[in-house]
Amino acid sequence: LAQACLERSDPGLRVGTTLRNGPVLSNPFLFFCVRFSPRLPQMPSHSAVNMVVDSALALQTVMQVFGVELPYTAAAVKRRSGEILAYQCMVAVLVAVVVMAGTPSLSVLITLASIVQAFGFMMVSWKVDEQGSFACVSRVPLQLHVLAITLRLIATTTHLGYLPTDFTGEGVIQLVDLGALVVLLGLLARRGAAPAAQQSWWTYAMVAAGVALAVHPELNRCRWADWSWTAGALVEIVAVAACSEIRATQHLMGCNLAAKAMLFVFWLEAYPQLRVVTHDRVTGVISNNSLPSYAVMLAFSAQLLCAVWGLGHGRVPRSWRPVPVEL
């Protein structure tokens, strides 16, 4: 679609490298905003960085109409143009998944949350490469996320329970989680990571996994698969809490908050379906056990609360904090 629009566009908009049938735009997000808005003039040729700056300043101008002042300058945007472009690409991927899902369904939030979380891990890897050092990140939060994602993958790759009802539940979400796991393992394989300051987090993780043995839903009708998914949800509480207490990036904390908010919205609607229904064939009595559904809802609520706490009070390395810019 972008290639077809470029063939109809003016030469001034053709910016970027060349593919098979012609040029592509360096920033498709800004291209579509300009191309399909009749009130905006055609833009001259710019580099990808300048186009990101122009889009940010245009947003600043639009928000001023509504009385909202965005406190940044062109220099500040240019310094963080790579991060802004990465977030624009992530938003484009989220919109594409929602559009391809077809019929609107809350279950697509599960996939969107996995994408946002994987993006947060990729931003951590990017920051490590940019800083040239791994000393700003502790291993414990990454290791706990590896454990949580692995437990979740054990259940979602072998059974159909706890998966989105759209096409993303047929391999997309599994690939996203697997990609996040690869990124985390790549980070942990590097040398120079800061040593763990508090080993008690692993004790909390083991306690969470033990709680899952006692209380878990039976959506998969398989004890070990249901335990694995529930244990992953409970261990992730500890992982998100560790991100707030141990050094981590604001990108990871922000993505954790967005992902946990999506999961909270979905399970707030779907948690009653996790009730365990038992039928006694002798007496004919049908009983409903709502404790597993409440436990799952409590787990995702705790994840969201830990993410909010981490974003507001987390220990972010000084070298990774935003540099104040005078307006």
Side-chain angles (χ1 to χ4, degrees):
L1 177 61
Q3 183 64 41
C5 294
L6 279 169
E7 293 176 355
R8 298 170 51 191
S9 62
D10 297 333
L13 284 177
R14 298 184 178 182
V15 181
T17 56
T18 302
L19 294 181
R20 294 181 180 179
N21 299 324
V24 296
L25 194 66
S26 299
N27 193 337
F29 177 81
L30 182 61
F31 168 73
F32 284 109
C33 292
V34 174
R35 183 61 185 169
F36 296 107
S37 180
R39 297 183 180 180
L40 294 178
Q42 298 295 330
M43 294 187 58
S45 177
H46 290 288
S47 65
V49 174
N50 290 335
M51 296 186 73
V52 171
V53 174
D54 291 341
S55 63
L57 295 181
L59 176 62
Q60 188 180 46
T61 303
V62 172
M63 296 304 293
Q64 288 176 352
V65 176
F66 299 96
V68 179
E69 293 289 341
L70 298 180
Y72 57 77
T73 61
V77 174
K78 190 172 183 178
R79 185 170 58 252
R80 295 182 176 273
S81 59
E83 299 175 9
I84 296 174
L85 186 59
Y87 276 94
Q88 288 181 353
C89 293
M90 181 197 65
V91 172
V93 170
L94 296 180
V95 172
V97 170
V98 173
V99 172
M100 294 176 63
T103 305
S105 174
L106 280 179
S107 64
V108 75
L109 290 176
I110 303 177
T111 305
L112 299 184
S114 295
I115 294 174
V116 172
Q117 187 183 46
F119 175 78
F121 298 140
M122 292 175 63
M123 292 300 292
V124 173
S125 178
W126 184 16
K127 275 295 182 181
V128 169
D129 293 335
E130 186 181 29
Q131 296 291 331
S133 173
F134 202 106
C136 296
V137 182
S138 297
R139 288 183 177 271
V140 173
L142 304 182
Q143 292 172 343
L144 290 174
H145 275 103
V146 167
L147 177 60
I149 294 175
T150 301
L151 290 171
R152 184 166 67 242
L153 275 173
I154 291 175
T156 56
T157 54
T158 57
H159 293 79
L160 299 178
Y162 316 103
L163 287 174
T165 56
D166 51 71
F167 81 100
T168 59
E170 300 176 358
V172 175
I173 188 172
Q174 291 88 344
L175 289 177
V176 172
D177 285 339
L178 184 61
L181 192 61
V182 170
V183 173
L184 287 172
L185 292 176
L187 282 170
L188 292 173
R190 302 185 186 187
R191 296 180 180 179
Q198 299 180 13
Q199 295 293 341
S200 59
W201 292 111
W202 282 104
T203 304
Y204 300 149
M206 295 302 103
V207 171
V211 171
L213 282 174
V215 181
H216 59 79
E218 296 182 0
L219 199 60
N220 283 324
R221 302 299 179 184
C222 177
R223 185 178 297 274
W224 63 266
D226 289 317
W227 168 83
S228 178
W229 183 87
T230 309
L234 295 177
V235 169
E236 198 154 5
I237 300 174
V238 185
V240 176
C243 287
S244 63
E245 291 295 330
I246 303 177
R247 291 172 292 179
T249 67
Q250 286 184 332
H251 293 291
L252 180 57
M253 293 178 181
C255 290
N256 265 336
L257 177 59
K260 303 317 172 190
M262 294 178 187
L263 291 174
F264 176 81
V265 171
F266 171 75
W267 287 111
L268 186 63
E269 177 68 22
Y271 83 93
Q273 302 178 16
L274 300 180
R275 291 179 300 179
V276 177
V277 180
T278 57
H279 178 224
D280 192 340
R281 296 183 178 181
V282 178
T283 61
V285 177
I286 299 177
S287 60
N288 294 325
N289 184 8
S290 300
L291 183 60
S293 61
Y294 292 143
V296 169
M297 191 64 232
L298 183 62
F300 287 103
S301 302
Q303 290 181 16
L304 180 59
L305 291 176
C306 291
V308 172
W309 175 262
L311 190 62
H313 303 277
R315 301 176 184 175
V316 183
R318 183 175 298 276
S319 60
W320 286 14
R321 291 173 182 171
V323 180
V325 179
E326 295 185 1
L327 301 178

